[in-house]
Amino acid sequence: MTVSYEKITPPTTGSTITFSDGKPLVPDDPIIPFIRGDGTGVDIWPATEKVIDAAIATAYGGQRKIHWFKVYAGDEACEIYGTYQYLPQDTLTAIKEYGIAIKGPLTTPIGGGIRSLNVALRQIFDLYACVRPCRYYAGTPSPHKTPEKLDVIVYRENTEDIYLGIEWKQGTEIADKLINYLNTELIPATPEHGKKQIPLDAGIGIKPISKTGSQRLVRRAIERALTLPKPKNQVTLVHKGNIMKYTEGAFRDWGYELAKSEFRDVCVTEMESWILSNKEKNPDLSIEDNARMVEPGYDALTDEKKAKICQEVTSVLDAIWETHGNGQWQDKIMVNDRIADSIFQQIQTRPDEYSILATMNLNGDYLSDAAAAIVGGLGMGPGANIGDTCAIFEATHGTAPKHAGLDRINPGSVILSGVMMLEYMGWQEAADLIKKGIAAAIANRQVTYDLARLMEPPVNPPLKCSEFADAIISHFGD
Ligand SMILES: NC(=O)C1=CN([C@@H]2O[C@H](COP(=O)(O)OP(=O)(O)OC[C@H]3O[C@@H](n4cnc5c(N)ncnc54)[C@H](OP(=O)(O)O)[C@@H]3O)[C@@H](O)[C@H]2O)C=CC1
Ligand SMILES: O=C(O)CCC(=O)C(=O)O
Ligand SMILES: [Mg+2]
């Protein structure tokens, strides 16, 4: 069926990317839609396009080429399509048709106004895995003493949690009705909630965390861990399950359940590894002594709780001693979990102990900015939103409006998102060239203002955004 557009025209040359089993099939001349973005998108996008095109031309000498298709979202879309037309149907049609897209940041007003276009795109195309690697390029200034020790990839669930955006404003009829229903019917009918009541002047937001959503994200995280060398072949489930038991706690439980069912042969949980290694060190260890070693404070527990832990030790040994015991577990993917607040200090105090951090939407949003800061700031934080039939690449940061139009912002994060896109397409040679160019530019102190001001001694004057792109390209032949 011919796809029709209202106000845009696809390139007259180039082919369409298709998907098979969740993987893209990429021709040598793919058409790829791009959204320039609001704010600093006006500076960053031209720099990014130039670097990606130059890398492809250098790597493949004309055998491969991206045919860019400009599509509109955000302020630019309103100029073309009319007031409030922030996300036109043309744009959605193009992304659906061509499968892979890349975008600059888009503005979201705080409080009232439109909901996030960025989040909307992820939900519309069911891009359930937001993948944000944070790795250090030598010479990048950092507020941290040993930034090179951090090499993590945040796998952030991208379609649910409070980002579903189902909330009601304080004082509205539905908010009042809902609070009344909760206070008079549902809370009293739930003994564990006791006499709790929701304040009558509250706004209400809903935080759905589903088993399907959690497990498909963790599945992608484990699949990625399987491609990593030891000791980075591990997945940490990050959650606040001590407080939000049926949402964040359930995410953890469903994550472990998936690891132990779909990936049983290749996975070991941290708890299992302790139980197995205790027995390896002392084959005559009793079940109870093993339980004592894996559960701090075991002796102070009630008999019922002690029995539960002993039962867990027994079932682990029965289930996987043959396949995972005698050190075999050391070659498996390690799956552990950490409480969300603790992981923010752990990535600073023990950065090299972590690799893939799989978590829900809000935690992942916070965590990816924090991890990017350690390795050089938001100018160095790329990202990808991946689904089974579509992928959209974009930076971790937003529109940075105070720098817009000044040709000064660091385009590194969108350029590195382009690197992720090239890798996803299987165009590794072009991706490697860009990584080499960025590494060399930074090592030569050719950097934009954000890195320049932190370097010792500071770089003055810093490169402009466009000059940084040229510096990256100039190092392709090094
Ligand atoms: N995916 C998306 O499109 C996203 C969109 N947003 C939206 O962007 C808008 C602005 O959000 P805001 O909270 O200001 O956060 P931003 O991430 O846009 O910017 C905050 C600060 O981070 C630094 N920064 C951001 N990008 C870069 C870069 N490329 N190079 C160097 N430094 C950078 C700048 O710090 P300094 O000035 O100190 O140098 C900037 O002032 C909001 O509407 C928000 O909703 C936010 C996040 C993601
Ligand atoms: O869409 C937005 O405005 C913010 C999104 C965001 O912070 C993110 O995706 O990291
Ligand atoms: Mg964010």
Side-chain angles (χ1 to χ4, degrees):
M1 205 180 70
T2 323
V3 178
S4 67
Y5 297 98
E6 187 193 346
K7 287 183 189 279
I8 51 177
T9 310
T12 48
T13 49
S15 314
T16 307
I17 294 169
T18 53
F19 280 73
S20 170
D21 288 336
K23 303 256 160 26
L25 303 174
V26 182
D28 284 344
D29 60 347
I31 294 174
I32 297 192
F34 71 92
I35 294 168
R36 182 201 71 188
D38 297 328
T40 47
V42 70
D43 307 292
I44 291 175
W45 178 254
T48 301
E49 186 178 321
K50 189 173 185 184
V51 171
I52 295 176
D53 283 346
I56 293 169
T58 308
Y60 307 116
Q63 294 255 289
R64 285 177 165 169
K65 179 178 168 19
I66 291 177
H67 296 261
W68 296 109
F69 181 10
K70 182 170 173 63
V71 301
Y72 296 88
D75 295 338
E76 219 192 357
C78 298
E79 285 165 23
I80 304 288
Y81 290 84
T83 319
Y84 302 127
Q85 300 302 310
Y86 288 99
L87 196 51
Q89 184 57 45
D90 273 359
T91 299
L92 302 180
T93 304
I95 295 174
K96 184 167 191 305
E97 172 70 5
Y98 294 106
I100 292 181
I102 182 165
K103 65 178 278 295
L106 294 168
T107 305
T108 315
I110 300 167
I114 55 159
R115 288 195 180 268
S116 167
L117 304 169
N118 310 299
V119 172
L121 284 166
R122 298 166 197 165
Q123 290 172 349
I124 290 167
F125 293 104
D126 201 21
L127 307 175
Y128 57 88
C130 176
V131 182
R132 293 182 166 174
C134 297
R135 67 160 272 222
Y136 181 71
Y137 279 84
T140 311
S142 161
H144 206 270
K145 275 190 186 159
T146 53
E148 68 283 357
K149 288 190 178 169
L150 188 75
D151 181 8
V152 297
I153 312 174
V154 177
Y155 268 71
R156 163 191 181 192
E157 199 293 320
N158 221 11
T159 60
E160 44 188 45
D161 199 347
I162 54 168
Y163 288 71
L164 200 54
I166 297 187
E167 50 178 5
W168 289 276
K169 193 175 165 147
Q170 177 269 329
T172 57
E173 192 185 336
I174 295 185
D176 288 349
K177 226 176 181 173
L178 189 58
I179 292 170
N180 183 45
Y181 184 48
L182 288 162
N183 281 345
T184 57
E185 304 272 339
L186 300 189
I187 296 174
T190 315
E192 72 174 280
H193 295 324
K195 293 194 183 305
K196 286 176 196 164
Q197 290 281 276
I198 295 172
L200 296 178
D201 60 350
I204 298 281
I206 303 283
K207 179 184 173 75
I209 302 289
S210 73
K211 181 171 180 176
T212 306
S214 302
Q215 292 197 331
R216 66 182 180 170
L217 184 269
V218 175
R219 184 179 296 113
R220 283 225 176 232
I222 294 178
E223 282 168 355
R224 181 63 179 271
L226 281 165
T227 69
L228 299 179
K230 243 173 145 173
K232 301 304 277 189
N233 56 347
Q234 52 157 303
V235 174
T236 301
L237 306 170
V238 177
H239 61 88
K240 190 73 186 170
N242 48 340
I243 302 298
M244 291 168 272
K245 297 179 193 301
Y246 306 137
T247 51
E248 303 249 342
F251 173 87
R252 181 195 82 142
D253 294 346
W254 290 324
Y256 278 132
E257 180 191 291
L258 180 97
K260 290 196 263 184
S261 52
E262 283 185 29
F263 297 93
R264 182 65 283 180
D265 292 352
V266 290
C267 269
V268 66
T269 69
E270 190 171 47
M271 175 69 129
E272 288 168 349
S273 75
W274 292 338
I275 293 170
L276 293 169
S277 76
N278 289 340
K279 184 171 155 86
E280 283 159 17
K281 286 182 201 132
N282 179 0
D284 299 326
L285 191 70
S286 70
I287 294 290
E288 178 153 44
D289 282 342
N290 202 330
R292 195 170 273 120
M293 290 167 79
V294 296
E295 182 65 36
Y298 175 87
D299 289 317
L301 296 176
T302 60
D303 286 348
E304 193 186 346
K305 284 188 179 152
K306 283 181 183 164
K308 207 167 158 227
I309 295 162
C310 288
Q311 177 53 43
E312 185 174 352
V313 171
T314 306
S315 53
V316 167
L317 292 173
D318 287 351
I320 61 168
W321 176 255
E322 286 295 319
T323 51
H324 292 57
N326 288 320
Q328 296 175 85
W329 60 269
Q330 291 180 33
D331 295 324
K332 315 267 182 205
I333 304 295
M334 170 68 78
V335 181
N336 57 20
D337 75 278
R338 297 288 181 270
I339 294 180
D341 41 4
S342 145
I343 201 73
F344 279 86
Q345 62 86 23
Q346 293 271 296
I347 58 168
Q348 299 190 60
T349 55
R350 299 162 169 259
D352 44 0
E353 289 183 21
Y354 294 95
S355 176
I356 292 183
L357 306 172
T359 191
M360 287 143 286
N361 217 331
L362 180 61
N363 297 336
D365 193 358
Y366 294 160
L367 195 52
S368 53
D369 265 44
I374 295 175
V375 295
L378 283 174
M380 301 299 290
N385 304 295
I386 309 282
D388 290 332
T389 56
C390 183
I392 301 180
F393 295 79
E394 67 175 334
T396 292
H397 64 68
T399 56
K402 70 180 173 192
H403 303 288
L406 301 176
D407 193 17
R408 70 191 304 258
I409 200 76
N410 185 350
S413 38
V414 181
I415 293 174
L416 285 166
S417 304
V419 167
M420 293 179 76
M421 183 180 81
L422 292 167
E423 289 177 336
Y424 183 72
M425 291 162 61
W427 293 16
Q428 191 63 49
E429 299 80 2
D432 289 344
L433 268 184
I434 300 177
K435 287 192 275 191
K436 181 171 115 175
I438 289 181
I442 292 172
N444 282 290
R445 294 167 47 85
Q446 295 169 288
V447 291
T448 45
Y449 84 93
D450 52 323
L451 304 185
R453 68 187 169 190
L454 296 172
M455 279 191 166
E456 277 303 333
V459 175
N460 199 3
L463 294 192
K464 292 178 178 170
C465 172
S466 53
E467 291 170 341
F468 184 53
D470 292 335
I472 295 169
I473 295 168
S474 75
H475 290 291
F476 286 171
D478 288 2

